[in-house]
Amino acid sequence: KLLEHKHLIVRAELQEPPYSVVEIKDWMRTLVDKIGMNILMGPYAVYSDMEGNQGLTAVTIIETSHIALHVWDEVEPALMQLDVYTCSALNTEDVFNAIEPFKPTKVEYKYIDREYDLTLLDKGIIRE
């Protein structure tokens, strides 16, 4: 299997942000399966109720890579920051489809190849 170093960075504004630690862990497991990776550790998730920093944080360690998610639900609209770093090819549509249940109103992304440098492969706004 050819090793690749693909990194998708997503910023999404959400109408229906996730609040449940249990549900976001299930969501992460489903995402890992959808992108064809294997979990090495996790998913781990915690809900922070600290004023000004309220929301979910979750991380999953996948084969020599990771998925990290942060959601701030105090702001309107809620904000999601998502990193998906894989050691193989990545179908970005799988990730965009995975966030649909949270009813995103705006999704911005950068897709980077980290093999030899930080080569920008794609960027854009899915909806605005």
Side-chain angles (χ1 to χ4, degrees):
K1 179 172 158 178
L2 177 66
L3 274 184
E4 298 185 37
H5 297 273
K6 300 296 192 277
H7 195 162
L8 178 65
I9 302 166
V10 178
R11 179 190 185 279
E13 296 176 0
L14 310 175
Q15 290 178 323
E16 295 183 15
Y19 295 95
S20 166
V21 166
V22 171
E23 288 176 14
I24 207 64
K25 286 180 179 182
D26 288 341
W27 180 87
M28 278 221 164
R29 284 184 198 97
T30 301
L31 178 58
V32 170
D33 185 54
K34 187 66 94 174
I35 64 173
M37 298 300 295
N38 295 309
I39 294 174
L40 296 180
M41 293 180 72
Y44 303 104
V46 65
Y47 188 89
S48 170
D49 58 5
M50 183 174 71
E51 189 175 330
N53 200 30
Q54 184 173 305
L56 277 174
T57 292
V59 65
T60 301
I61 300 169
I62 56 179
E63 292 176 327
T64 65
S65 306
H66 69 268
I67 298 174
L69 166 81
H70 307 282
V71 176
W72 291 268
D73 57 36
E74 281 179 301
V75 294
E76 184 61 42
L79 175 62
M80 170 189 279
Q81 300 279 5
L82 175 65
D83 281 19
V84 180
Y85 179 29
T86 68
C87 58
S88 66
L90 176 63
N91 180 352
T92 57
E93 287 301 316
D94 289 336
V95 178
F96 301 140
N97 290 338
I99 64 176
E100 282 301 313
F102 309 128
K103 306 255 188 285
T105 56
K106 182 178 183 180
V107 178
E108 299 174 85
Y109 70 94
K110 289 189 178 179
Y111 186 40
I112 299 167
D113 186 333
R114 297 174 59 159
E115 180 73 24
Y116 300 107
D117 53 26
L118 298 178
T119 303
L120 183 63
L121 299 173
D122 193 16
K123 69 177 184 173
I125 299 174
I126 303 245
R127 60 172 63 94
E128 201 166 6

